Structures are given as C-alpha cells and as structure tokens.
DNA sequence: AAGCCAACCTGGACGC
DNA sequence: TGCGTCCAGGTTGGCT
C-alpha cells in the first residue's frame, strides 16, 4: 500500500503529536510480520523512552529513541494510527505504544508483510534492509542513480523503478504513473532507452511524488490508505493510468491497457507510451 | 549473474 | 447464503 508519499504523509502527521513525549505503556503481540515482534524486547527498550525524532528512508519509517531506534515498514496493508488508549483496537493491531500525554500509536497490519523492529542504535547502520536501499527518490542524486542503473540493466524499466536498491521509495502506483507522464513503455528494456528519456523519467518521478505528497498520498477506492489522523489522500483522482484499464488515456483517448509484469499489474497507454 | 516468480498473509469483490 | 477464484499499494530467497 504505502509508497514514499504515503509514508512521508504518515511521518508528518505523527511528528507534531508524538515527538518529545515519553512512552509509558507498551503492548506488543508476538506476531510474525516479515520478522517476529518480540514483546519483551519492545517493552524493555521503549518503556520510559522519549521520542526524539521521526525520519524516513524510502518506505521505511524510523522512530529515534536515542539508545534505540524503532524501524517500521508498512508492507501492503500496514497502518500507523493515533488513537485514545481506551478505544477498542482494530483487528490485526500488533503493537500499541502509549505516550505520556494519553495518545496511543498503533500498528495495524492484516496481511503482515510489514516490519516492526527495535534496533540498538549501534546496529542501525548494519541493518540489512536499510543497507540495501539506494538513494531516496527525493534525494538530489536519485537521478544519477537511475541513469546509471538504467544503462546497465536489461530489465523492463518498470521493474527497475520498483527496485529499492536503485532508487528507494517508488512502488507500483508511482512507478506506473511516472512512466505514463514520461511517455515511456513500462515493458521496454531499461538499457534500450536513451539517456535523454531516462532523464525525463527521473523528472517525472520527482513531479509525481511531489504532487502526491501535496495531495496527502493516494487513497484508492478500497480506502486502504489513511494517515495517522485517519485522513484520506487525494491523489487517486489524478492517476492517469494506474487502475484505469479500458478507460480513455487523458492525452489521446486510446484505451489504457493492463499487463502483468513480474507478477504485478502495469497500466499504460499503448499510443502515448513507447 | 541478472532477473523472474513463488511465497509470505488476509480480506474484499466478483461470479456462479 | 455460500463457496471458489482472483486481486491488492511489498519484499525476499531460490532458481534458472
């Protein structure tokens, strides 16, 4: 579900509410997400700890508690939400962190593809999933990283955009939309695309992510994404091709096509995207 | 050795 | 109503 704009939207909604507050209760379920949650470790590490800051790397959210850092990834169905401690938790609530001003942060993740780990600050730098990430899609050198990787790769350009070790933060929606705006066929081998067009694609990535951020992310019809305050994102109405199989391309009115690529849907206009 | 793909899960939408 | 099938915003490890 959440790609860079959604994770950043969540980060921004949590930051003013939680930073500088201490945790006074931890309720963790020993559930298996991508890695197992260890309740005792969460309690031991976080009880009494003050949240110093919230940062984001790609789709990962990092909560800095000084000694320790909590690392979150929301997978496909994860939500971080704020609620009053007394309210009944939603099904699939795996983690509840109550802060000293009576606000509770809850991690809900039905499909359990997410990540919630507590790391010693010293071990943060050697945490594999973060080590693997390429530059953040919003970082200045993301463009250079994309140009460089595209020059070496025979993979379809859509797959390259999804590869977090090339550029971190893009998922299927924004990769698909960036390709539409750049007028590039998602199935084309990265290496076969001119440098000039890859540069244009890098620009489209930046524009799409920027617009999605301004809209507070993408909430599809199923209502999957909401920020920590329960608000929708409004970028769905601006999607040009994603989820629009059979609809008219906004530029040329040709029917938008859906294909499976690496087991995932990709949408494009066969006329505008070459 | 890069790149495909099944697997990890649940839930919702759809067809019969 | 119910049951089966397909699909979903992500990542990884194993295979070719």
């Amino acid at each position: 579900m959440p790609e860079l704009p959604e994770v950043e939207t969540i980060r921004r909604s949590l930051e003013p509410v939680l930073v500088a507050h201490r945790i006074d209760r931890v309720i963790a379920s020993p559930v298996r997400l991508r890695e197992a949650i260890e309740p005792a470790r969460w309690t031991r590490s976080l009880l009494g700890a003050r949240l110093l800051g919230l940062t984001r790397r790609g789709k990962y959210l990092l909560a800095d508690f000084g000694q320790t850092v909590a690392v979150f990834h929301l997978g496909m169905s994860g939500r971080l939400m704020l609620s009053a401690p007394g309210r009944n938790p939603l099904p699939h609530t795996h983690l509840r962190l109550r802060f000293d001003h009576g606000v509770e942060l809850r991690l809900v993740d039905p499909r359990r593809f997410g990540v919630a780990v507590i790391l010693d600050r010293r071990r943060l730098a050697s945490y594999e999933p973060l080590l693997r990430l390429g530059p953040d899609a919003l970082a200045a050198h993301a463009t250079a990283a994309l140009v460089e990787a595209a020059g070496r790769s025979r993979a379809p350009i859509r797959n390259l955009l999804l590869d977090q070790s090339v550029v971190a933060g893009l998922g299927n929606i924004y990769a698909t939309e960036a390709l539409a705006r750049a007028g590039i066929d998602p199935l084309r081998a990265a290496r076969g695309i001119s440098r000039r067009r890859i540069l244009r694609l890098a620009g489209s990535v930046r524009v799409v992510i920027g617009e999605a951020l301004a809209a507070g992310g993408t909430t599809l019809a199923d209502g999957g994404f909401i920020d920590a305050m329960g608000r929708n994102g409004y970028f769905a109405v601006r999607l040009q091709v994603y989820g629009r199989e059979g609809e008219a391309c906004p530029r040329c009115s040709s029917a938008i096509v859906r294909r499976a690529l690496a087991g995932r849907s990709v949408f494009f206009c066969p006329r505008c995207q070459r």
Side-chain angles (χ1 to χ4, degrees), chain A residues 90-111:
Chain A
L90 292 173
H92 309 291
T93 298
H94 308 308
L95 188 65
R96 302 168 62 181
L97 305 176
R98 188 178 75 187
F99 287 76
D100 56 16
H101 56 328
V103 171
E104 196 166 279
L105 176 65
R106 295 178 177 176
L107 174 68
V108 182
D109 185 2
R111 291 181 71 180

Side-chain angles (χ1 to χ4, degrees), chain A residues 12-270:
Chain A
R12 290 177 186 177
S13 63
L14 292 177
E15 188 171 51
V17 178
L18 297 182
V19 168
H21 288 277
R22 281 183 197 280
I23 291 181
D24 64 10
R25 185 176 68 177
V26 176
I27 301 176
S29 314
V31 68
R32 169 123 214 127
L33 303 187
R34 214 155 85 203
E35 305 171 44
I37 292 183
E38 302 171 58
R41 183 157 164 65
W42 279 83
T43 306
R44 182 172 6 106
S45 306
L46 291 190
L47 208 52
R50 185 191 300 278
L51 180 63
L52 304 178
L54 283 167
T55 55
R56 183 191 53 74
R57 292 199 213 164
K59 302 172 192 171
Y60 287 85
L61 189 68
L62 281 63
D64 178 8
F65 290 95
Q67 284 270 45
T68 54
V69 179
V71 179
F72 299 98
H73 187 293
L74 300 177
M76 293 276 262
S77 59
R79 292 181 182 183
L80 279 169
M81 48 199 301
L82 294 168
S83 60
R87 286 188 59 187
N88 266 4
L90 292 173
H92 309 291
T93 298
H94 308 308
L95 188 65
R96 302 168 62 181
L97 305 176
R98 188 178 75 187
F99 287 76
D100 56 16
H101 56 328
V103 171
E104 196 166 279
L105 176 65
R106 295 178 177 176
L107 174 68
V108 182
D109 185 2
R111 291 181 71 180
R112 293 192 255 134
F113 291 166
V115 173
V117 286
I118 273 288
L119 296 177
D120 213 86
R121 165 163 299 292
R122 293 170 290 133
R123 293 199 25 231
L124 181 63
S126 55
Y127 183 60
E128 264 298 323
L130 293 178
L131 276 178
R132 274 204 271 271
L133 298 181
D136 194 88
L138 288 178
H141 52 303
T143 298
L146 184 59
V147 169
E148 202 268 329
R152 282 187 292 104
S153 172
R154 239 182 272 272
I157 184 66
R158 197 304 287 305
N159 295 1
L160 200 72
L161 289 177
L162 288 184
D163 185 341
Q164 304 296 299
S165 72
V166 174
V167 165
L170 290 173
N172 206 20
I173 293 180
Y174 299 114
T176 298
E177 287 297 305
L179 286 161
R181 277 154 226 246
I184 296 173
D185 179 346
L187 296 117
R188 282 188 66 137
R191 234 169 52 165
I193 304 170
S194 71
R195 181 191 159 82
R196 208 184 105 257
R197 301 183 73 213
I198 294 291
L199 286 171
R200 173 158 25 134
L201 176 59
S204 298
V205 165
R206 209 170 285 278
V207 168
V208 168
I209 297 242
E211 289 181 11
L213 258 179
T218 300
T219 302
L220 262 16
D222 64 7
F225 168 72
I226 50 168
D227 76 4
M229 310 293 286
R231 292 175 295 226
N232 284 354
Y234 295 97
F235 195 67
V237 292
R238 313 250 299 275
L239 296 174
Q240 295 184 1
V241 294
Y242 186 90
R244 299 201 187 280
E245 181 180 19
E247 294 181 36
C249 165
R251 228 167 315 170
C252 76
S253 297
S254 303
I256 289 160
V257 164
R258 172 160 79 114
R259 283 283 163 75
L261 185 56
R264 315 190 60 192
S265 289
V266 65
F267 302 85
F268 62 100
C269 170

